[in-house]
Amino acid sequence: MKKRTMYAWGSAIVIFIVLMIVTPTIPQSQSYHNFADQRSFLGIPNALNVISNFPFLIIGLIGLILCFYPEDYFRFSLRGEKIGWTCFYVGVATVAFGSSYYHLHPNDATLLWDRLPMTIAFTSIMAIFVIERIDEHKGTYSIVPLLLAGLVSILYWRFFDDLRPYALVQFVPCIVIPLMAILLPPMYTHSTYWLWAAGFYLLAKVEEAADKPIYSWTHHVISGHSLKHLCAAMVPVFLTLMLAKRTVQTERISLYKTWKISWTRSREKGSEEDRFEYSYSNVAVEETR
């Protein structure tokens, strides 16, 4: 492993240790398990919060099938991509089981099985970004360490009742991935799908926080947490569409540069139209007698 990689991992560990020293512990609030919609249906407790996880299973299985489709449906061009995306879709599919199990009997013990698959998906996505946009080998080698970091964050919370490591694992990708999608030049087309996925995940977190208000606003039709599941399931939907449509970029240009070029061209076009209108208005009109 090169020195730069060692320095990067060392810096990340030092920053993590400093954050753990200077920040207070974050215990798991027991009110988190008190969801707005606790209705039962056909003997299923918290029915909508359980059933709304079904889309994760569908899109996860579709993604896994297409990853190993004989005709290379997703057209992976880098060695580590298939490994990373396979881990991602395994995480997505198992969210359906873990989250459903949790919502049948919401408590700290079952919450572990809800968070574990999501952590697999988060950390896999980080590795995929490193593979595609920074370095193929470093990204491939980072898959296992990132997955282990996610597992350790879950176990740390469970044994020490401290959510800080898990919060880092969950929220750092939410910040880093959109920034990387905008600033780093992509290897493939349809890079904007990353931003659509990030937008739906942000919406899902808002709906999760507004669980009870949304349940009240909809006159007890659906809660914010159930909507959160449906919006979060749109993340792998958009990423699957991206994988199906994308092709290798002939010229690697970041979204930021693409937007900057488009904005410059639109301004230049507007300036030319203004000059043309100005010139036209100053043409002398000869009177006819």
Side-chain angles (χ1 to χ4, degrees):
M1 190 178 289
K2 294 182 180 179
K3 285 186 177 181
R4 289 179 62 184
T5 306
M6 293 288 289
Y7 290 147
W9 280 105
S11 300
I13 292 170
V14 169
I15 292 170
F16 171 75
I17 293 172
V18 170
L19 286 173
M20 291 295 288
I21 292 172
V22 301
T23 57
T25 59
I26 306 175
Q28 177 64 59
S29 172
Q30 293 307 298
S31 63
Y32 178 83
H33 308 304
N34 184 27
F35 298 103
D37 189 357
Q38 300 182 15
R39 294 172 295 178
S40 297
F41 180 71
L42 297 177
I44 303 173
N46 309 307
L48 275 182
N49 284 343
V50 173
I51 296 169
S52 57
N53 285 292
F54 185 66
F56 288 107
L57 178 62
I58 299 300
I59 190 62
L61 291 177
I62 290 173
L64 281 172
I65 291 169
L66 294 179
C67 275
F68 294 92
Y69 200 69
E71 298 178 7
D72 193 19
Y73 190 82
F74 286 153
R75 297 182 292 276
F76 296 126
S77 57
L78 301 175
R79 185 188 63 176
E81 283 186 293
K82 181 175 284 191
I83 301 171
W85 284 108
T86 298
C87 292
F88 172 73
Y89 283 115
V90 167
V92 170
T94 52
V95 162
F97 298 104
S99 186
S100 296
Y101 176 59
Y102 163 64
H103 284 288
L104 287 171
H105 305 287
N107 57 63
D108 284 359
T110 55
L111 183 57
L112 181 146
W113 301 106
D114 179 23
R115 286 176 170 166
L116 184 58
M118 289 191 291
T119 303
I120 294 172
F122 292 142
T123 52
S124 300
I125 285 293
M126 282 296 296
I128 289 165
F129 251 89
V130 176
I131 291 170
E132 181 189 330
R133 306 209 179 197
I134 298 177
D135 186 271
E136 176 188 357
H137 299 291
K138 291 176 183 177
T140 303
Y141 292 136
S142 72
I143 293 174
V144 173
L146 286 172
L147 289 172
L148 289 175
L151 176 61
V152 168
S153 74
I154 295 290
L155 295 177
Y156 186 89
W157 155 67
R158 191 69 187 96
F159 285 104
F160 299 101
D161 193 23
D162 186 358
L163 285 168
R164 287 177 297 170
Y166 175 73
L168 284 173
V169 169
Q170 184 178 26
F171 290 111
V172 166
C174 296
I175 299 170
V176 172
I177 287 175
L179 287 175
M180 291 173 70
I182 293 170
L183 299 176
L184 298 182
M187 183 176 181
Y188 300 99
T189 60
H190 293 83
S191 189
T192 51
Y193 279 70
W194 284 108
L195 301 183
W196 281 103
F200 269 96
Y201 186 76
L202 177 61
L203 178 60
K205 299 306 291 183
V206 172
E207 290 167 340
E208 181 182 30
D211 181 33
K212 292 178 181 178
I214 290 174
Y215 192 53
S216 176
W217 296 337
T218 60
H219 300 284
H220 296 184
V221 174
I222 192 169
S223 69
H225 201 85
S226 297
L227 286 175
K228 174 238 181 178
H229 290 162
L230 299 177
C231 274
M234 291 300 296
V235 173
V237 168
F238 272 99
L239 296 183
T240 304
L241 289 173
M242 178 192 70
L243 291 174
K245 292 183 175 185
R246 70 183 189 175
T247 55
V248 176
Q249 289 267 43
T250 53
E251 185 179 359
R252 298 184 66 169
I253 304 175
S254 69
L255 283 175
Y256 172 73
K257 285 187 177 180
T258 302
W259 293 341
K260 190 175 180 180
I261 292 169
S262 299
W263 172 250
T264 303
R265 287 176 178 173
S266 65
R267 288 187 64 184
E268 289 175 352
K269 184 178 179 182
S271 299
E272 288 176 2
E273 290 176 353
D274 290 341
R275 285 196 298 270
F276 176 79
E277 290 176 2
Y278 179 77
S279 301
Y280 181 79
S281 63
N282 282 276
V283 174
V285 179
E286 185 176 337
E287 293 184 4
T288 57
R289 295 181 179 179

